[in-house]
Each structure stands twice: as C-alpha cells, then as structure tokens.
Amino acid sequence: MRRAGGFWLSLILLLGAWEAYVHLSGIGAFFLVPPSTVARRLGEWLVTGRLFVDLGASLLLLGGGLGLAAAVAVPAGLSVGLWRRLEHAVGPYLLLAYATPAPVFVPLLLMWFGFTWATRVLIVAMFAFLPILLNVWWGVRTLDASWLAVARAFGASRRELLARVLLPGSAGSVLAALRIGGGLALIGLFVAETYGVSRGVGYQTIIGAKRMDVTGMLAGLALLGMLGVGLELGLAAAERRLAPWRPTA
Amino acid sequence: MSGGRDPRWPLPLASGLALLGVWEAAWRLGWIDPLFFSGPTAVAAVLARLVATGEILPHYASTMGAVALGLAPAVAAGILLGLVYGASAGVRRVAGPYVAFLNATPRVALIGLFVVWLGLGLGVRVALVAISAFFPVFFNTAEGVRALGASLDRVGRAYGCTRWERLTRILLPHTLPYALTGTRLAVGRSLVVVVIAEIFVGSLGGVGYFIINAGQQFQSAHVLAGALLMALTGVTLTLGLERVEAWLTPWHPRAGL
C-alpha cells in the first residue's frame, strides 16, 4: 500500500511537471500538448463510445493473433523440448529463424492475403509465434532432471511421466512464454493496424501521426500502453494462479 | 558427449537440405507462382545480383547505420541505469511502475511522435532503435545486479575490500555476462524496429523500404532477397555476439546448443 501511495504521488508530480512545462515554455501544440489535453481527448472518445470501438477491435485482433500463435507454438515448443530427435532436426533452424527480423515478412503476407483481417491476424501471430515457441522449448529443457529421476524411480510409465511431471512442470514456462509473446504481439498489432483499418488503438496512433495530430497520437499511445499493462498483469496473474511455485519477476 | 563425433550435426544438416531440396523442386516444377513466392536458388541469385550491382548497398548502409547510431547510446545508458536500478531498492520502488508501463507499451508506436519531433530523416530510426534497444540491456543488467545478492558483497566486505574494489572486482564482472546477453537481445530488437520504421515511413530508405517497395510491385524474389539479407545479418550478429560473450566471460554457465 505504501508502495502504491508513492507511485501515485510521483505520477501526479510527473504529470504536473509536464503540464507546467507545456504552459510555461510556450511549446507549440504541433510538437507537444499537455496531459490535460490528452485526457480531454480520451474523455471525448469515452463519451462518444469511440474508445470501446477501438479497444474492442484491437482486443479482437490481439486475441486472434496471440491465440493462433499460442495454439501452434505451445504444442510445437513442447514437442521440440520433449523429443530430443526433433530438437536436433529443427532446433538450429528455429534459432536461425528467431534471429531473422519478423517484419521483413509483412510485405509477403500482404501480397498473399491482401488488406484483410486474416492478414492482420497473421501479422500479430507472426510476431508472437517464435518467441513463444522458443521460450516454451527452453522452459521444458530447464525442467529439473531430478524430478524425472524420482518419477522413474517410482516406476512411472512414459505416459505418466508426460502427464504428471513434464506437462505440469512446463505450465509455468508456457505462461512466461505467453507473456513475452504478448508484448511482441502488441508490436505486431501496431504494424497490423497500419494497413487498411479504420478502428483500433494502433490505428488511432497511426492516424494521429498521419494528421500530425499529437493529441491523438498521445491518446492512442496511452491506450496502447494500458492494453499492454492489462495484458501483462492478466498473464502474470494467470502465472501466479496456475504455477504458484514459480518466483515472479 | 557419447563417444566420438558430435552426433548433433548430421540430423539438422539432413533436415535442412531436405527442406531446401523440396522447396527448390517445387519451384523448378512450376508449382510456385513467381508472383507470390520464389525458389531458393532464384532468391540467392537475386541477392547476389543486388549486391554485385550495388543496388541494395545504399539501403543496407542506411539501415545498419541507423542501427549502429541508435544501439551505441542505448547500450551505454542501459548498462549504467541498469546498474543503478538493480542496486537501489528506492529507485526501483519509485521508477518501477513507469519502467513497467514503458516496457509494456510497444515502443514502435512512438514512431509518429518521432516523425513530428525529428522530421523525416535518419533521426526517427536512430531514436526508435535507441529506445527499443535500451530495455533489454537495462533489464538484464539490473537482473544481474539483483542476482548477485548480498552474500558475495558481504564476502567482499569481510575481506576488507573498499567500495571501489567491490564495484570493479565483484559487481562489474558479475554483471557483465547479463549486460552482454541484454546487448545481444537488443541487437535483434534493433533490426526488427528499424525495418518496421522503414516499412512504416516509406521515405526513410533502407532495406525495409526496399522490401515493401518490391512487394508493391509483386517482385517476390526481391522481397525474399531483402528478407534473406536481414536474416543473414541477424544470424551473423547473434552468433558473433554469442562468441564475444563466451570469450569475455568464460566463467559464466550457458545453456546448451
């Protein structure tokens, strides 16, 4: 509680300093606007319902992309982590692919699927896919070998080993991987909402940039940040609930 | 490990060659529409030609220049502030929520603000690279300081080390591998955001611009050649930095592979 109090105090000081700076320095609204102007814009969006349209569209896109990425990457990462032969066959290529900057494939997706919702979901999924896969894989690899030894000593079958030790043991790293993937999916969301959309929090930031409207940009950024923090907090809470033995960072 | 030759190489080599072989065969047999995709040899040939004629070199120089200019201050600031953040619980308490907010916000979204503040020049990409590269270095360095814990520091005290000795002989060597790992992650992040900036603001030039431009003209082989160039860059830098890490901090345990 004391922590939270200090945070709110510093936030008020920071916003106050920003507000005062804009008023006292006489900086043009073209370059920077005070937080009160940004708050007013957010208020307008809230009253007109625009806020919910944008948040809804972005959440749908984020959920679709992250869901798609997780649905493929989690089983794939578990398989690569658990099956040594597969790991040897594809592991080096996964690392190579991971070192490749994902946005270079955005033009290809646009060429293949056009300015459609499917393209945007795939863009979001593409940013999150490999980070999730690799983090699940590494998480499985770091499972304590002594757990396996104990289970084997107690005569666990392969199936029991998988269902009772390996999968529950991996739950924590899967959730940690989703958190990392979630952050990258947000970058993907911003990139995806550049193309042929008219709603979404990334879109608001982008249209603000195109119109040189700093207020709109900052309001969009604030929403993107809230979306990011919400995603992070939600997944962190899930991690604590599903894998309470893991130390949370 | 289990006697004789390293068994890890034949299998990945075989799987990679098989994949390339199938892809090339599909291309030769005309199963791939050149408007939408291309074959491995065709892409390699296009990239070789783009490099030989020098067509892609100004773009590449522009991209890598922005990465270098943004990365250097980001790494320096990330290490310094990471040391402070990791060492001081007070700083963590006050700055923690902001760091978390900034870290959770996709920094690429700042691109519009940077365009307004810095104009349509190199500055936008440099700023975006700098802010994106900062966080991995910062977090890893801070994590390194915190992982040191109190015990080693206490050992140092018990042996009568001065503050300066504890800093240079215990804290810095201990934190170095973390900072280097952060730097390696930051390089990967930089390559991602620089390409996004170039795709997003077309007039910036660079490999990202080259790729999106080729995509709009449905020159698939050119898109893939540009992607291959960035992939090779990413792989080379990542592997190179891993070697540097292993060489500078041989005492630090590393995950296999």
Side-chain angles (χ1 to χ4, degrees), chain B residues 52-77:
Chain B
T53 61
E55 195 184 334
I56 206 167
L57 295 183
H59 290 297
Y60 190 62
S62 162
T63 298
M64 297 316 288
V67 167
L69 286 175
L71 202 56
V75 170

Side-chain angles (χ1 to χ4, degrees), chain B residues 127-211:
Chain B
L128 201 65
V129 166
I131 198 160
S132 305
F134 170 78
F135 280 95
V137 182
F138 173 80
F139 276 119
N140 274 283
T141 307
E143 180 58 34
V145 177
R146 286 172 64 182
L148 174 65
S151 61
L152 260 181
D153 197 56
R154 232 176 278 144
V155 170
R157 258 175 235 251
Y159 277 90
C161 295
T162 61
R163 256 182 104 79
W164 176 250
E165 279 172 336
R166 291 208 305 278
L167 179 73
T168 55
R169 298 285 179 82
I170 297 175
L171 184 65
L172 291 183
H174 176 86
T175 317
L176 184 63
Y178 292 88
L180 287 172
T181 304
T183 304
R184 178 158 50 82
L185 296 174
V187 169
R189 208 67 82 71
S190 304
L191 292 179
V192 169
V193 296
V194 81
V195 171
I196 292 178
E198 290 165 354
I199 287 177
F200 189 78
V201 191
S203 60
L204 293 174
V207 179
Y209 169 73
F210 173 85
I211 292 173

Side-chain angles (χ1 to χ4, degrees), chain A residues 8 15 208:
Chain A
W8 290 114
L15 290 177

